[in-house]
């Protein structure tokens, strides 16, 4: 401001506001001690923590792009899941099939081995085997199933009974209740 | 050594020594801007908030700063706008009419007047009756001896309108001082 203008303004002020013109220009406000010594650091911290310029302008686009990206990723993941499920199911099916087939083969082998065993027996051996006293032993070697074994046991038990009776003894026995105690 | 305004702008724009240049800007203008804002807002804590906002906005805007105006007036413009926006927002929050110029008195922020001379206390109270923009103009002209052309750049008003505004402000204060 040049001197001339300054004087004009001072004169104006003196004319319109003599009280104000006569007052000292005093600052009655006070700033806390040391306030200005660290303001630059405080502002720096604020700037560092500030949201970057234009962040919110592009935020919607970024979010939509991310959602789209996620959705496109979801399709292959689902497909991959189906593939996994199919793979697991197929593996289980294969395991069961193998298990079943092995079981079948084992049964065939048992039957076959049993068949071969009987075929290979000589007639004397068969006679020996037919000896009722050794029938149990034979049953131990050949397992024809529970039903057949049961029959063999019953038959064996019957054969074990001493049949050397006189006709009188039989009559007496039948007329009495003792036969009820016979255990088969 | 303090950098000149041109050096500060050039360094920030070039991306070299940006932090150092900006620190230099803060240290150069912090006190002047503080008192400018404080004259409008009065309360220190509010002034502190607004001043920090001013520097953050300056940091963001400086790379795009067009050098058709001075850095000095550009900073004052940001500070004035931020201060007026802050006061209007606060008035809305406290349900105080925008036309109520003595909002600081209502808000109980005139404690600083306790220790000053009676005539100074009257002057401060008279200043509080001015609208914020008029108070800012009065402060820049009366206390800072700024040219009308500079103030015109800061507040975006013609020099003629500014002269009229300052004249009205001075008359209001004078009347207040006489009547009270």
């Amino acid at each position: 401001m040049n001197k001339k203008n300054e004087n004009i303004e001072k004169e104006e002020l003196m004319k319109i506001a003599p009280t104000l013109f006569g007052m000292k220009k005093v600052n009655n406000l006070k700033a806390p001690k040391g306030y200005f010594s660290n303001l630059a650091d405080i502002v720096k911290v604020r700037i560092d923590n500030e949201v970057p310029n234009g962040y919110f302008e592009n935020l919607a686009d970024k979010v939509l792009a991310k959602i789209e990206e996620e959705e496109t990723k979801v399709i292959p993941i689902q497909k991959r899941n189906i593939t996994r499920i199919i793979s697991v199911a197929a593996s289980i099916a294969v395991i069961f099939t193998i298990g079943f087939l092995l079981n079948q083969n084992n049964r065939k082998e048992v039957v076959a081995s049993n068949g071969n065993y009987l075929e290979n027996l000589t007639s004397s051996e068969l006679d020996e085997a037919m000896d009722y006293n050794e029938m149990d032993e034979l049953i131990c070697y050949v397992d024809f199933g529970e039903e057949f074994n049961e029959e063999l046991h019953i038959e064996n038990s019957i054969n074990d009974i001493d049949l050397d009776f006189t006709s009188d003894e039989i009559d007496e026995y039948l007329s009495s209740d003792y036969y009820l105690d016979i255990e088969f | 050594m303090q950098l000149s305004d041109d050096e500060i702008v050039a360094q920030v724009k070039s991306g070299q020594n940006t932090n150092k240049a900006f620190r230099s800007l803060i240290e150069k203008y912090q006190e002047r801007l503080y008192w400018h804002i404080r004259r409008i807002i009065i309360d220190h804590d509010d002034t502190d908030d607004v001043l920090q906002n001013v520097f953050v906005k300056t940091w963001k805007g400086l790379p795009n700063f067009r050098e058709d105006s001075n850095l000095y007036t550009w900073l004052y413009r940001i500070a004035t706008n931020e201060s007026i926006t802050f006061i209007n927002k606060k008035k809305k929050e406290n349900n105080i009419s925008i036309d109520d110029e003595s909002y600081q008195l209502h808000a109980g922020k005139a404690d600083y007047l306790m220790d000053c001379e009676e005539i100074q206390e009257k002057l401060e109270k008279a200043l509080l009756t001015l609208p914020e923009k008029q108070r800012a103009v009065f402060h820049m002209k009366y206390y800072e001896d700024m040219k009308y052309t500079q103030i015109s750049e800061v507040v975006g008003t013609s020099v003629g309108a500014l002269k009229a505004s300052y004249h009205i402000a001075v008359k209001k204060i004078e009347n207040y001082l006489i009547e009270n």
Side-chain angles (χ1 to χ4, degrees), chain B residues 158-177:
Chain B
S158 69
V159 172
L162 275 177
K163 281 184 178 176
S165 176
Y166 179 68
H167 186 88
I168 292 167
V170 168
K171 286 284 269 182
K172 271 190 197 173
I173 290 166
E174 182 70 12
N175 288 341
Y176 188 93
L177 292 172

Side-chain angles (χ1 to χ4, degrees), chain A residues 1 9 16-20 24-25 27-30 32 35-36 39 41-42 46-47 50 53, chain B residues 22-23 30 35 38-39 44 48 51-53 59-60 112 116 120 124 141-142 147 167 170 174:
Chain A
M1 193 189 293
E9 282 175 9
I16 58 171
T19 318
L20 182 65
K24 281 183 204 169
K25 288 182 184 177
N27 185 5
N28 297 303
L29 303 168
K30 285 179 178 68
Y35 171 71
F36 296 109
L39 184 64
D41 295 325
I42 294 168
R46 264 200 64 179
I47 287 169
E50 196 73 15
N53 251 349
Chain B
F22 195 68
R23 179 175 280 273
Q30 59 183 4
W35 291 117
R38 182 84 190 264
R39 276 280 159 204
H44 164 75
D48 181 38
L51 182 59
Q52 287 184 30
N53 288 343
W59 169 261
K60 285 178 178 176
Y112 68 98
C116 62
Q120 290 294 337
E124 294 295 339
K141 188 70 202 158
Y142 182 78
K147 290 179 192 171
H167 186 88
V170 168
E174 182 70 12

Side-chain angles (χ1 to χ4, degrees), chain B residues 108-142:
Chain B
K109 289 177 180 173
D111 299 348
Y112 68 98
L113 299 173
M114 299 285 278
D115 299 330
C116 62
E117 288 175 30
E118 194 183 347
I119 188 74
Q120 290 294 337
E121 185 184 326
K122 278 182 188 173
L123 175 59
E124 294 295 339
K125 282 183 178 175
L127 283 172
L128 293 176
T129 63
L130 299 176
E132 290 79 35
K133 199 168 175 179
Q134 205 169 44
R135 198 183 321 150
V137 170
F138 182 84
H139 171 71
M140 285 186 272
K141 188 70 202 158
Y142 182 78

